[in-house]
Amino acid sequence: MRPRRSALYLPASNAKAIAKARTMPCDMVILDLEDAVAPEMKDDARAAAIAAVNAGGFGHREVVIRANGLDTPWGAADLAAIAGTGADAVLVPKVNGPEDILAY
């Protein structure tokens, strides 16, 4: 276990932000596929997040991908794509109770 003092959220659709995140003094980088990404950019953002995780270069920073909910058109594809990466974690959106976690 290690403390996580700072987490940097950024839209996975922003290549410039992803590049900068590799140099920021934070403990965790969260590549957001959900709220920070416009619907028409969701598929491209997913591909960018997967490419960024696979490319590495984040040093000691944990890399987390925030998926879209399973109740959206993108959620299942997000989880399938994330499962094949070396991401340190998946951030599940809008959890209301234990049944939501079981669905994932």
Side-chain angles (χ1 to χ4, degrees):
M1 298 289 287
R2 67 181 182 128
R4 289 153 186 97
R5 300 159 296 182
S6 58
L8 174 64
Y9 277 80
L10 55 113
S13 58
N14 187 331
K16 186 175 179 182
I18 291 173
K20 182 152 179 96
R22 289 182 169 100
T23 68
M24 298 298 292
C26 59
D27 297 313
M28 182 183 307
V29 173
I30 301 173
L31 304 174
D32 193 4
L33 302 178
E34 196 202 17
D35 290 338
V37 178
E40 65 273 9
M41 296 295 299
K42 298 281 190 182
D43 293 333
D44 291 340
R46 180 187 316 114
I50 302 311
V53 170
N54 290 338
F58 292 94
H60 70 279
R61 296 162 200 83
E62 287 182 298
V63 181
V64 177
I65 301 176
R66 183 181 186 207
N68 285 284
L70 287 177
D71 60 343
T72 70
W74 311 282
D78 286 352
L79 292 180
I82 294 166
T85 72
D88 293 302
V90 176
L91 182 55
V92 179
K94 299 175 182 78
V95 173
N96 295 309
E99 63 281 353
D100 292 339
I101 298 297
L102 293 173
Y104 285 89

